[in-house]
Amino acid sequence: MNTTQEKILSILSGICGETLEEDQLDLDLFENDLLDSLGLVELLVELESQFDVKLSPSEVSRSQIATPRLIADLVESRMAQ
């Protein structure tokens, strides 16, 4: 697990109100009712703050951010731009 993934799990734990562990990187956050539309906006704001990347709700699809691993991949790709 890399540093970005660790930070993502920490951010998600705060938003979801549940501690997410390393073995939950592929957990579907929406199907497991851990993330809703309000939590999604909070997540995007926090990702922008923590990683200095611009993520607008209109340009991010639910399938791109369904799991902590996908969120980390998206953030890393935006940081590389």
Side-chain angles (χ1 to χ4, degrees), residues 2-78:
N2 64 35
T3 305
T4 302
Q5 291 171 337
E6 289 175 9
K7 278 187 173 181
I8 299 290
L9 288 175
S10 176
I11 291 167
L12 285 168
S13 293
I15 292 171
C16 299
E18 285 190 31
T19 302
L20 297 177
E21 304 291 337
E22 181 178 342
D23 64 346
Q24 294 176 302
L25 283 171
D26 296 312
L27 177 71
D28 190 305
L29 300 167
F30 296 100
E31 285 184 11
N32 289 283
D33 295 323
L34 295 173
L35 201 59
D36 58 14
S37 57
L38 186 58
L40 171 60
V41 172
E42 190 177 343
L43 172 64
L44 294 178
V45 168
E46 194 61 31
L47 292 174
E48 287 184 9
S49 171
Q50 294 282 330
F51 296 101
D52 195 29
V53 294
K54 184 73 176 141
L55 297 168
S56 163
S58 62
E59 65 183 26
V60 178
S61 72
R62 189 168 156 166
S63 62
Q64 289 177 293
I65 55 168
T67 69
R69 186 182 311 277
L70 289 172
I71 295 168
D73 291 346
L74 177 64
V75 167
E76 288 173 345
S77 73
R78 293 294 173 95

